[in-house]
Structure formats: C-alpha cells, structure tokens
Amino acid sequence: MLKFMTGNELREAYLDFFEKKAGHLRLASASLIPENDPTLLMIGAGMAPFKPFFTGKMKPPRTRITTSQRCVRTGDIENVGRTARHQTYFEMLGNFSFGDYFKEEAIAWAWEFLTEVVELPKEKLYATIYPKDDEAAEIWRKEPGFLSDHIVKLEDNFWEIGPGPCGPDSEIYIDLGEDRGCGEPTCAVGCDCDRYLEIWNLVFTQYDKTEDGEYKPLAHKNIDTGCGLERLASVLQGKRTNFETDLLYPIIEYASGVSGVKYGEDAQKDISLKVIADHARSMTIMIMDGILPSNEGRGYVLRRILRRAVRHGRLLGMDKPFLTGAVDAVVKIYKDAPDFEAITERQDYIKKVIQLEEERFHATLEQGCELLAGEIETVKAQGKKELDGESAFKLYDTYGFPWELTDEILQESGLTLDRDGFDKAMQEQRDRARAARQENQRVAVPDLSGVDVKSLKQDPTAKEAKVVALWKDGVLADSLSDGEEAGIILDATPFYAEGGGQVGDVGLFTTDFGRVQVSNAKKLPDGTIYHIGYVEEGLLKVGDVVKITVDREKKLASARNHTATHLLQAALKRVVGDQVNQAGSLVTPERLRFDFSNFEPVSAQQLADVEELVNHVILQAQDVEIAQMKQDEAKAKGAMALFGEKYGDVVRVVTVPGFSMELCGGSHVANVGQIGMFKIVSETGVAAGVRRIEAITGEAALRWAHERAEALSQAAEVLKCRDTEVVQRLSTLAADYKEMKKQIDEVHRMQERADAQKLLMAMQTYGDVQCVTGRANVDSMDALREMADLTEAKLKKGVVVLCAIMDDKVNIVAKASKEAVASGVHVGKIVKEAAKEVGGGGGGRPEMAQAGGKEPEKIPNAMEKAVSVLKAQLGLA
C-alpha cells in the first residue's frame, strides 16, 4: 500500500525537503507571464524563469534554488482528456543548481525523496540514462536499494536546443503494474502505454555546444530537474489518470453535477468532462496571474481554452453558461496552497471575467455551430475533404471561433482546414504581431556574464559615469556609431528605470566625441539598469566617461503623475467601492492611465467626486512618506500592492498620510502639493470587467484648464454675454430654436397637405381604383413617405406613386390601400418597373415600396410606366 498524500501535501513535502535537507533557497512560483523574455508567450517549464542564470548572463540570488512553478502548454491541446497525462496547466516541482552541486547530489536527493519521504517502493523504480553517461550509471548503482538492472540506456536521454548549454539527462520511471500495460512482450520502460510512468527528469547541463557542433565542457556545470506534481500525486493517490487526483477531480465532480453526466460511464463524455476540468483550472490561474481574453498573444490562448471548454459543455448538453461555478471548485482546491493567495483575493474578479467572456461566446456559438455544420454538409456534398480558409476566417471573425476549434470540429467529421487560406485572411494581424516581436528582440537581454553587475549602482546625484557595456540586437558591442540605437549600461546612473507602470527617464549622454539621446531606461531581472540610446552624432565606446543629463522637467512630470495614480486608486476605492483593484497602469510625463476592475462604467457623478477628492488631498499639501520595511509588516499596515509587480522581503512603501499606502518602487513628488492640479479626461472600458481612467496633472492640467477657459470666452463673445451667462444664453437659444423648428415643421406640414391636395386634383380612376401620380417638392425621403401617406389616406381604394429629386437623383415612393391590394395591386412591382425608366431600381411589398434612379429628366416616363403596370395588374391593359 502506497503512502497517501494530497497534492498540496506533496508540494509542501518537496519544497521543504530541498529547503531544509539540501539548503536550497525556496522561491515562490513566477507568474505565468514571462518577465523580460520576449521569446516566451507563457512560462511552460520550471527552469524558464531562470534562463539568464543557466546561460550565465546573470547571477542567481543563490546557487541552489527550489520551486513549484505554474506552467501552461497548449502545443498538444487536442490530446487533453484523451490521454491519462496531457494537461494545459500543470505544476513542475524543481530543484536547480547553478555551478554548485552536480550529478551525485541530484541523483542521491531524488532517490532519497522518492523512497524515504514519499515512500515509493524501490523495486518499482527505474532510471533511464544517456548510453555514454557512465558516470550517472555508476552513481545510480550506488544508491541504497536501487536495482542495478533497472538502469535503461536510451539515446534520446540528451537535452539540447540548438547551440548553447546542453547535456545528458536521467529520467526516473515507476512501474505501475502489468494491468496498466499494453500486454506486448516488448513492453518496457519507454513504451507508449501507461505501465511505466515518468515522474522526474534530471538534466545534467555539462556541455556548451558550439555553432560547429562541438561539445565543450562547461566550466560551471548546472542541474535542472522537473518533477510533475500531478503525475506524482496520481501515483501516491492510486489514480489511473492525473484527472482523478484531488488537484483536478473536484472540478470533474462539479461539471458532472451541473451536466447530469456521470463520470466513468461513457468514454466520449469522459473526454469532455476532463477537458472542462483541465481548461477551467487553466483559465482560472491564467486570469489570477493577470492574463485577460483577447485576440492576440497570451490573451488569445486564454480565449481559446475558455471557448473550447464551452464547446465541450455543449457536447454534454449544457447550453447555458456554467464556468463560473467551476472557478469556485478550482479555488477550493488551491485556497490553502502557498503562492496561490491571489486566487481567493481575486475570486470574484476571475468569475466576472469568465462570465462576460462566456456570455459573449454563447451569444454567437449556436449560430457559428449551425454555420459550420452547414459548411461541413456542403463540403461533403461536393465530395471535398477540406473547408476553405475564408469560411474558417468568417467563423473566427464573426462568431469568435479560434481556428483550432474549427479544425478540431472538422477533424471529428473527417475533414481538414485550408490553413493557407485562413492565414492569408489573417495576414495583416500577423504582420503587426511580427513587428511587435522584432521591436522586443531589439532590446533582448545580452550575455552579461563578463560584466561585474555587483559594482553597478543607481545614484540620483550622478553627473558622470563610465560605459561598462553596449549592445545592438542583443549582442555585445565595443562601440556605437552615429545613427545606431542600442542598449547601454553605466557603472552609475541617476535614471529611474521603467517599472510599476511608469516609463523610464529620458535624457542625454555626451562625450568629447559623441552625443547620445536616451529614450528610456529599463531594469533587468537582477536589478541592472540599462538605457536605450540613439547616437545622434559621433561615437560611443565601452570605457568612455559620459556626462549625464536627465530631463528634470519630464522626471518631475512623471513623479506628479505617479503619485497622482496612488491618490486616484485610493479615491476610487472610497467613492466607487472596495471591489476596485488595479489591473494595470501607465505613467508618462504627459499623462497617467489607470486600469481597474469594475464591471460597469463609473458614473459622471462618481468621476466628479473622485476628481474632487484627489484635488482636495493635493491642496492639503502633505509630505509623501517613503520607507523601507518588511513585506509582512507593510501588508499588515494595509499597504496595497501594484498589479504585476514582484516584491522582495524588504519593500518600499509610499504613503500619503491618512489617505494612501502602496508598495512601490517608482518616483514620486516630495509633497502632494507639487502635483498642482488633477483632471480626469476620460473613462472607458478596455476589456471584460476592466475600466480605464486617463488623467493629467501639473502643467498639462493647467493647459487643459486654460484651453477650455479660452474656448468659454470665445463662446461668450459669439453669444454676446458674460462667461458666467453662457449656459443660460445657450438654454434660451435652444428653447427658441425648438419653438422655431416646431413652427417651421408646422408650415412644412401645411405645405405638404396643400401639395397632397394639389396632387389629388390630378387623380385618375382605373376601374374602381383611384390613382395619384406626380412629383413632390420635398427634400428628404421621410418627407416623401409622409406625403405619400397623407395622399393615400384621402383615397378609399387607392394607389399613390410619388417621386422627388434630391441631390440630382430620383427617389420614388409608392403606397397602396389594403382594398387596392385585395384587387391585385402590388406597388413593389410597379416601382421596380418605373425605376428602370430613370436608370435605377428598387421594389418592396404589395402595400409599400420605394426605389431610386439617376436620370431626373425621365420622370414623366417613369410615371407613365407606373400607370401602365397598374392597369396590367387590374386587367385593364
């Protein structure tokens, strides 16, 4: 009998073992959103946040680290629910060594954890190794209780991705028993069946592969291990699949309950239940980490996962939204787990985002499914095997179907998708995305292993500094020439680096031989500040001493806007409600932008109250207090954390006494009075459940006020009144205009009645049907229709065909009474023929129709044709 452990207990046991037993630094999981890595869409491996440490570009905080990393992968999403192990979201337990311990310790500690901590049977464990890795084989044989014949040599046990660090690896498998196997006599470790389950991979990074394919030994060898939390949990809990563990099964139970479909009775329906469970967990944690649905990047992945879950819900008979309840099931699983505090704090927000997205998709899903079903029938009827790309793009563009969802439904019907055609329709969007990626790559992190980053410093008083590194397109350079833009690192800098939503400082570097315009300053994960500079003239070399000029006006303007952002958030919470939480921000010298969670627009009165409250605080002219303290102490005092930011044990707390307290590393004014004036210029919606306020402060706000005061003075001059009387004067003019328009409209109606009476005088009778044709002197289609109505109302059994010239074009309107229609009259057919006479077309119903033409001189012909067709309809031709 195996030792039972819950998923949360297993995670804690792993981290505790490596923290206490092996002296590892225990770090919280990084966000799914990669930091300073434009090559990744989302974190998909435990080592991904540590790439700069593995490559030697940056130094880690400690040479031994352990984490349980949140990961998302969707490369084989179509297999989710169809196999025992495929998931879009998973946690990767890992222990890492950066030039510290190597194979012997990594293998020994893995063996100890598996056999002594979680107590797996030693005789059931196998280790695969690279055939040439005799060192790993010898270490495994020495482990107490390890069976030497359980070493399996596999050629693919070598980890490498192109040139760079690489090395052999060793995978640990457990034999789950013959009943889980394929029954083939060749079944062994490495078989595709479920008998031998890989639970841990130990990667020994010991070589550096050159561009020429040569493997050179690394001076500092690394360890990168990955142990799947869900996989190991399935073993300890005796479950046949990851989906039946306590990390996923409660969500299946929820989906089963609301759908009425029992798990385990129908294999096809089980797939849908498992897809819903996996996808609900993924979307919940993605939104927790700050990802929102969109049509690009990470947001597109989230939208695709959510909409795929909705479709599988429909396959189970769930035609109404159901995913918000699944969020509750996910929260219940993770509410007590470390690194998941935000899942309960943001639970309502997560549910609202999902609710809005699910409702939006439901609104078009049925139509889209019907359209796709029709397209599938058409393709099959034509004997084809492929749906054209344009139809697939219409499903994407109009009904919100990700192409992958369309492709999946097509495959279920034995068809394929014309991807080339779809891609062609999406070309413009792809070009924009590619341009954005290229822009990101331009400032990619260079190899800084040769730079002594510890000696670098941020010094607000620095006037001169030495250039210690330059790079272009991510590659270190010795010098820059005029016309080149690149990254620049100085040994000391007074520049504030972009962060917390605030843009970096701008300024100028000058030497005797060059001039560099600095457009931004940014910070690498290890705290190194670099500058993005454009060489306007001359050149710049490593080792040059530059004179530094920071644009003080813009720096102060950014500080005003940053402090004002803090005041704005505090005011929103007081006026709108505590549900307001930051969802993003941008602080520039020109303006501030604040995104926040709220599921309805902020009213005009609320905006006015917020603005008044912020300005009231500004007028109090309190000093801004900035202090360093322990993170727990800051949170205990009520300090708010900014969205998307990471904080260490010691944090910087920015306080406006009695009003606002936030964790923040940005630049701020010394006294709120320096903000001068605060003005909200817009409030809009930017995503499901997210509102955006844009505002200005200081000189920008004063300019705004001056421009509007000037406009008011000009309006007063035109209205010939005082500034204070403009509203009253406009109200009077509006009332006068309304009365005048009323009188003019009455005159028009009198004229129309007179014109109608005049037309009636020319009335002709055909059989027992009265007919009025002619030209009306009106200037709009509404007036023409109204005159036709007035004329037709005067007839007992009549037909009216009127025309008018507007903008040198002919407009025709026809009306028939119900009695005339009963006699066989159809004015739609009448105007259709009449319009041809004036070079146009039209038609309509038997009782009402309209048409147009472009040859006014032929109106008499059109009226004659109308009478001719009418006679024919009455049998009088």
Side-chain angles (χ1 to χ4, degrees):
M1 188 72 178
L2 293 175
K3 178 179 181 179
F4 180 89
M5 295 181 80
T6 67
N8 288 337
E9 288 171 346
L10 176 57
R11 182 195 301 108
E12 181 58 33
Y14 183 96
L15 296 173
D16 184 69
F17 174 83
F18 281 98
E19 182 180 25
K20 294 178 179 176
K21 168 78 178 181
H24 288 61
L25 173 64
R26 176 172 173 170
L27 293 180
S29 170
S31 168
L32 287 169
I33 302 174
E35 184 177 2
N36 288 310
D37 191 343
T39 66
L40 292 179
L41 198 61
M42 275 186 285
I43 296 297
M47 59 76 66
F50 306 130
K51 279 170 62 177
F53 305 149
F54 279 113
T55 60
K57 291 181 178 178
M58 282 178 263
K59 292 183 180 178
R62 196 180 296 178
T63 55
R64 298 181 179 188
I65 290 175
T66 185
T67 63
S68 181
Q69 176 60 46
R70 299 192 287 271
C71 301
V72 167
R73 295 181 191 170
T74 58
D76 48 7
I77 193 173
E78 67 279 356
N79 288 326
V80 172
R82 300 180 185 276
T83 72
R85 313 297 170 195
H86 277 96
Q87 301 152 213
T88 56
Y89 171 84
F90 60 95
E91 275 184 74
M92 188 62 76
L93 303 169
N95 55 285
F96 309 95
S97 168
F98 309 105
D100 192 326
Y101 63 84
F102 200 47
K103 292 181 188 178
E104 189 164 355
E105 294 88 346
I107 292 173
W109 289 334
W111 181 253
E112 181 180 350
F113 178 77
L114 292 176
T115 59
E116 297 185 22
V117 178
V118 299
E119 301 177 11
L120 295 182
K122 298 176 181 178
E123 69 277 7
K124 295 287 187 181
L125 296 176
Y126 289 75
T128 65
I129 62 169
Y130 184 59
K132 297 179 182 179
D133 193 359
D134 296 331
E135 181 185 8
E138 187 59 32
I139 295 170
W140 274 115
R141 290 190 186 98
K142 291 179 181 177
E143 292 307 316
F146 182 81
L147 303 177
S148 59
D149 60 348
H150 280 202
I151 295 176
V152 180
K153 295 183 178 181
L154 297 177
E155 284 291 339
D156 60 0
N157 275 123
F158 195 94
W159 183 89
E160 62 181 336
I161 305 178
C166 59
D169 61 77
S170 179
E171 297 167 330
I172 304 173
Y173 286 77
I174 185 168
D175 181 0
L176 298 176
E178 290 185 18
D179 62 315
R180 303 285 287 276
C182 57
E184 296 293 328
T186 56
C187 184
V189 172
C191 183
D192 290 334
C193 71
D194 289 338
R195 175 174 178 177
Y196 297 96
L197 176 67
E198 179 196 344
I199 53 177
W200 206 334
N201 187 19
L202 316 176
V203 180
F204 312 127
T205 310
Q206 62 189 85
Y207 299 112
D208 183 16
K209 184 180 179 181
T210 67
E211 295 283 352
D212 299 329
E214 183 182 357
Y215 293 89
K216 294 185 176 181
L218 283 171
H220 302 289
K221 298 175 175 62
N222 303 317
I223 290 291
D224 161 24
T225 84
C227 176
L229 175 64
E230 290 84 359
R231 286 189 174 214
L232 190 51
S234 73
V235 175
L236 296 175
Q237 295 173 22
K239 304 299 182 183
R240 296 185 72 88
T241 75
N242 294 357
F243 294 94
E244 289 152 17
T245 68
D246 64 344
L247 295 169
L248 275 165
Y249 194 66
I251 319 172
I252 290 180
E253 290 181 310
Y254 163 77
S256 176
V258 294
S259 66
V261 175
K262 192 172 181 181
Y263 181 73
E265 292 187 348
D266 184 315
Q268 203 61 34
K269 291 181 177 178
D270 283 353
I271 290 173
S272 291
L273 287 170
K274 288 186 279 190
V275 166
I276 290 168
D278 170 82
H279 289 11
R281 185 172 71 157
S282 290
M283 70 182 77
T284 298
I285 295 172
M286 288 171 74
I287 297 170
M288 179 194 81
D289 270 355
I291 300 169
L292 290 172
S294 73
N295 281 333
E296 294 181 356
R298 290 179 283 271
Y300 177 73
V301 174
L302 172 58
R303 175 163 284 166
R304 177 188 172 197
I305 286 173
L306 190 151
R307 295 187 172 188
R308 195 169 184 269
V310 171
R311 179 189 171 248
H312 277 274
R314 285 178 63 87
L315 294 177
L316 297 179
M318 292 188 282
D319 294 330
K320 290 185 169 49
F322 64 92
L323 286 173
T324 55
V327 174
D328 294 331
V330 177
V331 172
K332 191 173 181 181
I333 295 170
Y334 288 96
K335 64 179 181 178
D336 297 321
D339 301 348
F340 285 90
E341 295 83 358
I343 206 167
T344 51
E345 294 170 1
R346 310 193 81 194
Q347 182 174 358
D348 291 341
Y349 172 73
I350 295 168
K351 290 170 69 174
K352 193 66 178 182
V353 171
I354 288 175
Q355 176 192 336
L356 293 173
E357 180 71 12
E358 188 176 10
E359 288 175 350
R360 183 180 292 121
F361 187 42
H362 265 285
T364 60
L365 178 60
E366 189 169 350
Q367 288 177 285
C369 285
E370 289 176 1
L371 177 65
L372 182 54
E375 294 286 353
I376 289 172
E377 286 183 15
T378 301
V379 170
K380 288 184 173 180
Q382 294 173 345
K384 297 179 180 179
K385 292 290 184 181
E386 182 180 73
L387 176 68
D388 65 278
E390 287 187 8
S391 298
F393 182 74
K394 182 179 180 182
L395 281 165
Y396 167 81
D397 194 44
T398 306
Y399 301 102
F401 274 47
W403 73 262
E404 296 92 343
L405 179 57
T406 300
D407 190 41
E408 190 174 329
I409 296 172
L410 289 172
Q411 288 181 30
E412 292 170 2
S413 299
L415 302 177
T416 59
L417 170 66
D418 171 19
R419 274 300 306 281
D420 290 340
F422 183 90
D423 289 345
K424 184 178 179 182
M426 288 283 287
Q427 189 61 47
E428 281 189 22
Q429 185 175 339
R430 297 210 329 267
D431 287 345
R432 288 194 298 269
R434 187 181 301 112
R437 285 196 298 272
Q438 289 171 348
E439 175 66 16
N440 284 337
Q441 289 287 358
R442 184 173 58 79
V443 292
V445 178
D447 184 349
L448 298 176
S449 56
V451 178
D452 182 9
V453 295
K454 287 186 177 180
S455 66
L456 309 179
K457 60 182 179 178
Q458 185 176 22
D459 179 1
T461 65
K463 304 292 186 207
E464 290 186 345
K466 186 168 71 173
V467 177
V468 297
L470 301 170
W471 72 87
K472 296 176 290 186
D473 302 317
V475 179
L476 286 172
D478 293 325
S479 64
L480 303 175
S481 300
D482 59 286
E484 291 184 321
E485 187 174 27
I488 304 166
I489 295 178
L490 306 179
D491 63 354
T493 179
F495 279 68
Y496 169 79
E498 181 180 296
Q502 181 178 336
V503 299
D505 286 339
V506 300
L508 196 67
F509 296 158
T510 57
T511 70
D512 292 339
F513 304 102
R515 175 185 173 92
V516 180
Q517 193 70 44
V518 179
S519 59
N520 201 358
K522 295 190 175 187
K523 185 180 291 186
L524 299 177
D526 64 356
T528 301
I529 293 175
Y530 68 93
H531 314 77
I532 298 175
Y534 176 79
V535 183
E536 293 184 328
E537 57 186 37
L539 73 161
L540 184 69
K541 303 191 303 294
V542 173
D544 283 353
V545 174
V546 298
K547 293 179 180 178
I548 303 170
T549 304
V550 177
D551 190 322
R552 296 293 170 185
E553 286 190 11
K554 288 187 175 180
K555 188 178 183 74
L556 179 56
S558 290
R560 288 191 187 103
N561 286 334
H562 203 148
T563 306
T565 302
H566 287 211
L567 300 182
L568 172 60
Q569 175 162 251
L572 282 168
K573 282 184 171 289
R574 283 168 167 78
V575 174
V576 179
D578 283 332
Q579 78 277 8
V580 168
N581 284 301
Q582 182 172 342
S585 69
L586 174 68
V587 175
T588 72
E590 294 77 27
R591 64 191 174 97
L592 67 93
R593 188 181 75 203
F594 184 73
D595 296 347
F596 58 97
S597 55
N598 204 51
F599 296 103
E600 59 186 11
V602 182
S603 70
Q605 185 58 55
Q606 287 176 321
L607 287 174
D609 291 344
V610 167
E611 188 177 283
E612 182 180 355
L613 181 54
V614 171
N615 280 306
H616 175 72
V617 174
I618 291 170
L619 289 173
Q620 290 177 341
Q622 294 189 87
D623 286 342
V624 177
E625 298 176 357
I626 298 178
Q628 305 279 344
M629 63 182 72
K630 291 281 188 180
Q631 185 175 159
D632 292 342
E633 179 187 351
K635 289 185 176 179
K637 288 185 175 183
M640 289 187 292
L642 290 183
F643 174 84
E645 284 296 287
K646 292 184 178 181
Y647 305 98
D649 291 335
V650 177
V651 294
R652 185 172 181 259
V653 181
V654 178
T655 304
V656 178
F659 193 74
S660 167
M661 180 185 292
E662 293 191 20
L663 309 186
C664 183
S667 58
H668 291 272
V669 294
N671 183 291
V672 291
Q674 291 177 278
I675 297 172
M677 175 183 173
F678 173 82
K679 178 63 190 175
I680 294 173
V681 294
S682 69
E683 191 273 346
T684 57
V686 292
V690 179
R691 306 299 299 177
R692 170 174 292 172
I693 283 178
E694 298 202 30
I696 50 179
T697 66
E699 292 182 2
L702 291 174
R703 281 195 301 273
W704 181 92
H706 174 75
E707 288 167 0
R708 276 146 187 79
E710 182 64 26
L712 181 62
S713 294
Q714 291 175 3
E717 186 176 342
V718 171
L719 295 170
K720 301 189 185 314
C721 65
R722 297 187 180 91
D723 291 2
T724 55
E725 297 171 344
V726 166
V727 174
Q728 181 182 349
R729 180 71 173 135
L730 286 173
S731 298
T732 301
L733 288 173
D736 291 346
Y737 172 79
K738 186 176 181 181
E739 180 60 30
M740 189 180 301
K741 188 175 185 303
K742 182 179 178 183
Q743 294 175 8
I744 292 172
D745 288 345
E746 180 59 31
V747 170
H748 283 161
R749 280 191 292 272
M750 291 172 64
Q751 183 65 49
E752 286 169 2
R753 285 194 290 270
D755 288 346
Q757 190 62 39
K758 185 177 179 181
L759 288 167
L760 283 168
M761 293 173 67
M763 180 185 72
Q764 300 292 320
T765 301
Y766 304 104
D768 61 347
V769 175
Q770 299 167 312
C771 177
V772 175
T773 62
R775 176 175 168 181
N777 295 312
V778 295
D779 58 4
S780 71
M781 280 298 293
D782 286 342
L784 185 59
R785 281 190 289 266
E786 187 175 350
M787 183 169 287
D789 289 338
L790 285 169
T791 306
E792 188 267 327
K794 299 288 186 181
L795 306 177
K796 292 182 179 179
K797 185 178 183 180
V799 174
V800 178
V801 182
L802 301 181
C803 65
I805 300 174
M806 302 173 201
D807 298 324
D808 297 325
K809 293 181 180 178
V810 181
N811 289 279
I812 304 173
V813 169
K815 294 273 294 183
S817 65
K818 61 183 180 181
E819 294 83 3
V821 172
S823 296
V825 174
H826 192 305
V827 295
K829 295 178 180 178
I830 291 173
V831 300
K832 180 180 180 181
E833 296 302 320
K836 292 179 181 177
E837 297 295 320
V838 288
R845 304 188 302 275
E847 74 281 3
M848 193 275 173
Q850 61 187 49
K854 52 189 177 183
E855 300 176 31
E857 67 277 6
K858 295 183 180 179
I859 286 177
N861 297 348
M863 295 298 99
E864 288 178 11
K865 187 67 173 180
V867 171
S868 173
V869 175
L870 173 62
K871 286 180 179 180
Q873 290 178 348
L874 295 173
L876 302 175

